[in-house]
Amino acid sequence: MSGKTVVRGEISVPGDKSISHRAVMFAALATGVSRVRGFLHAADTLSTAGMMRALGARVDEVSHTELRIEGRGLRALAEPADVIDAGNSGTTIRIGSGILAAQPFLSVITGDRYLRRRPMGRVIEPLTRMGASILGRDGNRLPPLCIRGGALRGIRYEMPVASAQVKSSLLLAGLYADTPVTVVEPIRSRDHTERMLAAMGAGITRDGNAVTAAQCVRLDPLDMTVPGDLSSAAFFLVLAAVTPGSSLTVSAVGVNPFRTGILDVLRRMGADVRPVGERFEGGEPVADLVVRGAQLVATRVAPEEVPGLIDEVPILCVAAAFAAGRTEIRGAGELRVKESDRIASMVACLSSLGIPCGEYPDGLWVEGPATVRHPSGPCDSRGDHRVAMSMRILGAAAAVPVDVTDVDCIDTSFPGFQSLLDGLTR
Ligand code: S3P
């Protein structure tokens, strides 16, 4: 069975979450006033804005999606008067730790009940090696984190898993260290931090999978427009891709080459996906994405592809449910420590709709084309925004009511998701 809901037209999606986080963080560290347009106004990125305000930067909302940020400079942040709340946002706490580790004061940072279950040892361990003092629950593994920053030394760090958050955290700490910090990734991950810091005047150099940050005196302010978020666009790209006759354009989406794995996989499955009018905005490649639906076929996603589509695995599972054959995704063990255990969450949701699927320790399989059982038990998002949106898309594509619980979490990354979906499928 292919999807039943034909969608046509042109939409746009909110600003990129990763780039929005970085823009507000780095602008707060710059010397001077920054303007950021197209900012993602969502719970996660507002947590980062709150963190930078707590450190003394002035962050004003000129409009819903435009920020004016008065930077404090790299070395004039203020000790936060209270515990910093990162909410649900792993990017806030992990990249933020790299900044806090370099400050000559004490910071305590925590998050919601989901974030407090997510591993922080991956930043604590290398930042401690650089000279910071960081304590956390569960033997220095879980938030809240108590960070006493100070003078840092450079290290060369071979990352055990590809992670843009860990890489970014260490590069930021490297701006303060007495000798350069080099981070070596097993597989390259999104390079928004490198692009943005270099554009702000930091000394960032790359050699293959190794990236180095040198000590920095000042960062220039930003004047930029954040591109649309490919990870948000992906939900609608899949909605169109699974139904022959659908044709959808998502305008002005960021197509950073370390984020576009989902486009390659959808093409391999038989969808016609094209970037049109490629251009640069704020140092990032941007394009309008045009997708035409088809009866998809199953595919295998190999471990080396995973970092390039890490946040798109839940929606890829939905595409797989409509595709003929067994789709397998391996080398994706990192999904177990995202906002939820996304392997377990997706297998539980798909199973509750009668879709054949199963877990591997490091991935999952989905067999299509599936018939969605109806009526069926509720799908529990487990508080995970990407799981909740994926299941809503599945219901819309199959034209079957799917009851998804705990959908408030969608606001962490994509407020307006449901009205956009309703507008297209009405
Ligand atoms: C992000 C990196 C990825 C991604 C997350 C955002 C970033 O996490 O899953 O949604 O902005 O750097 P990891 O660094 O844990 O892979």
Side-chain angles (χ1 to χ4, degrees):
M1 180 192 76
S2 52
K4 289 186 178 149
T5 303
V6 172
V7 290
R8 292 182 163 274
E10 178 161 352
I11 60 167
S12 57
V13 292
D16 186 274
K17 182 152 81 79
S18 291
I19 297 174
S20 295
H21 279 297
R22 286 159 174 78
V24 65
M25 264 188 234
F26 304 172
L29 301 177
T31 302
V33 175
S34 292
R35 287 272 176 180
V36 179
R37 292 168 293 277
F39 180 75
L40 170 66
H41 193 277
D44 272 13
T45 44
L46 293 175
S47 293
T48 292
M51 173 171 72
M52 300 322 288
R53 283 192 189 106
L55 293 170
R58 181 163 174 174
V59 182
D60 292 326
E61 287 180 18
V62 179
S63 74
H64 202 59
T65 57
E66 182 172 344
L67 298 184
R68 178 188 181 278
I69 302 141
E70 264 180 50
R72 292 275 294 207
L74 281 160
R75 288 172 184 79
L77 299 180
E79 183 172 71
D82 201 349
V83 174
I84 297 171
D85 185 4
N88 190 246
S89 174
T91 307
T92 308
I93 192 168
R94 293 211 182 104
I95 304 188
S97 295
I99 299 172
L100 300 175
Q103 308 309 319
F105 51 67
L106 182 87
S107 313
V108 182
I109 183 162
T110 189
D112 69 10
R113 64 194 168 102
Y114 302 102
L115 190 67
R116 291 196 308 273
R117 290 201 298 248
R118 296 184 63 190
M120 296 298 143
R122 52 185 63 195
V123 288
I124 295 176
E125 198 264 317
L127 290 172
T128 303
R129 273 215 255 155
M130 290 178 70
S133 162
I134 309 182
L135 297 174
R137 282 189 311 125
D138 194 30
N140 297 338
R141 282 197 288 263
L142 297 177
L145 304 183
C146 183
I147 303 176
R148 154 89 43 208
L152 300 181
R153 52 186 169 270
I155 55 168
R156 180 180 172 87
Y157 186 65
E158 311 251 352
M159 290 181 16
V161 287
S163 163
Q165 291 174 353
V166 175
K167 172 178 63 175
S168 303
S169 184
L170 300 185
L171 293 177
L172 277 172
L175 301 181
Y176 295 87
D178 59 357
T179 53
V181 166
T182 298
V183 187
V184 187
E185 300 186 273
I187 304 170
R188 283 185 65 176
S189 64
R190 64 191 70 189
D191 63 353
H192 307 304
T193 295
E194 295 93 301
R195 286 174 191 255
M196 201 181 288
L197 286 179
M200 297 172 84
I204 305 288
T205 49
R206 176 168 282 284
D207 180 10
N209 281 15
V211 55
T212 299
Q215 195 181 53
C216 182
V217 177
R218 57 165 271 159
L219 292 174
D220 297 329
L222 290 168
D223 184 355
M224 66 175 292
T225 300
V226 178
D229 196 328
L230 179 53
S231 296
S232 298
F235 297 104
F236 293 96
L237 297 175
V238 167
L239 176 66
V242 298
T243 308
S246 285
S247 173
L248 187 70
T249 300
V250 190
S251 55
V253 180
V255 286
N256 181 295
F258 301 101
R259 297 279 297 276
T260 48
I262 181 72
L263 306 182
D264 300 332
V265 172
L266 286 176
R267 270 186 213 114
R268 216 155 69 210
M269 295 174 88
D272 178 5
V273 187
R274 288 172 211 205
V276 175
E278 275 193 71
R279 54 216 183 252
F280 270 83
E281 261 173 39
E284 293 276 350
V286 175
D288 303 326
L289 295 176
V290 182
V291 58
R292 292 193 177 80
Q295 169 59 62
L296 301 185
V297 291
T299 190
R300 293 174 83 90
V301 176
E304 55 276 14
E305 291 185 281
V306 168
L309 47 74
I310 186 73
D311 292 335
E312 285 65 73
V313 172
I315 192 61
L316 195 51
C317 293
V318 172
F322 291 100
R326 184 177 169 125
T327 293
E328 281 203 7
I329 303 171
R330 300 303 296 261
E334 272 296 292
L335 293 176
R336 297 224 179 254
V337 291
K338 291 292 177 189
E339 285 82 330
S340 71
D341 174 344
R342 286 186 173 154
I343 295 173
S345 304
M346 285 308 297
V347 167
C349 284
L350 296 172
S351 300
S352 77
L353 300 178
I355 296 168
C357 60
E359 291 190 28
Y360 299 114
D362 67 339
L364 72 174
W365 61 270
V366 181
E367 183 100 31
T371 305
V372 178
R373 191 168 59 213
H374 170 60
S376 59
C379 293
D380 182 1
S381 75
R382 304 189 184 186
D384 186 325
H385 55 131
R386 299 205 196 277
V387 173
M389 288 187 276
S390 297
M391 299 317 295
R392 281 273 160 93
I393 293 287
L394 193 151
V400 162
V402 170
D403 178 17
V404 188
T405 60
D406 210 352
V407 290
D408 289 352
C409 55
I410 290 174
D411 286 349
T412 60
S413 70
F414 198 165
F417 165 82
Q418 192 60 47
S419 48
L420 199 50
L421 179 58
D422 292 343
L424 272 178
T425 55
R426 211 180 350 247

